[in-house]
Amino acid sequence: DAARRVGPPLGRVRRRLRDVLRARKRADDGALAELRRRAASGRALRRLGYDLYLPPKEEEEDGDRAAPPLRALLLLPGFGIDHAAYSEVASRISDAGLAVAVASLEPLRLAHGSTGAGMGDVERIARAAGADVCRRVRGIGRGRGADPSGTATVV
């Protein structure tokens, strides 16, 4: 009797999961080519959990002026969309001087706490991307255990 009651709900869950996996969209060839080009030039980093698009190198400034604060944007992909599909728009934004982290919501590509993409996960990605931006753009926090908090703002 108990097995009969459990069977139908599990079947519905299995069918729903199958539908979610079938709805996933891969990045088009142009987006993948842009990501490869940026990665080869050192302007994009592939990380577990996100891709990071870096702004152009800053020109050396006089030692008298403080460098402007670093800023970064965190993009969360739409339902079922491969995060690499955002490479072209992330590249354009980074060309304008803003670092861009595009979160990976694999394997389901679904932003929900029970699938590994809850607020805690988003905050973890934002901290990791902020630290990456500091290391790559300004060379801050290179030492083991260095704390670059407050040196980059990820919005």
Side-chain angles (χ1 to χ4, degrees), residues 58-59 61-70 138:
E58 295 177 349
E59 296 294 322
E61 301 215 4
D62 293 339
D64 298 342
R65 287 191 1 198
L70 292 172
R138 293 244 177 95

Side-chain angles (χ1 to χ4, degrees), residues 14-77:
R14 196 177 86 236
R15 283 190 298 277
R16 183 73 63 116
L17 180 60
R18 183 191 63 220
D19 292 344
V20 165
L21 292 174
R22 284 183 179 165
R24 298 182 329 159
K25 306 282 188 255
R26 72 180 288 276
D28 66 22
D29 293 337
L32 293 171
E34 177 65 17
L35 177 55
R36 282 191 296 272
R37 188 179 69 74
R38 288 287 171 140
S41 72
R43 295 266 320 273
L45 306 173
R46 303 232 51 198
R47 298 289 192 240
L48 182 63
Y50 63 94
D51 291 340
L52 181 63
Y53 297 82
L54 299 166
K57 293 276 187 198
E58 295 177 349
E59 296 294 322
E60 292 294 321
E61 301 215 4
D62 293 339
D64 298 342
R65 287 191 1 198
L70 292 172
R71 301 203 187 279
L73 176 69
L74 177 61
L75 293 178
L76 298 175

Side-chain angles (χ1 to χ4, degrees), residues 104-107 110-122 124-125:
S104 169
L105 303 179
E106 297 296 335
L110 175 66
H112 191 277
S114 64
T115 64
M119 277 310 295
D121 300 294
V122 170
R124 177 187 51 77
I125 290 170

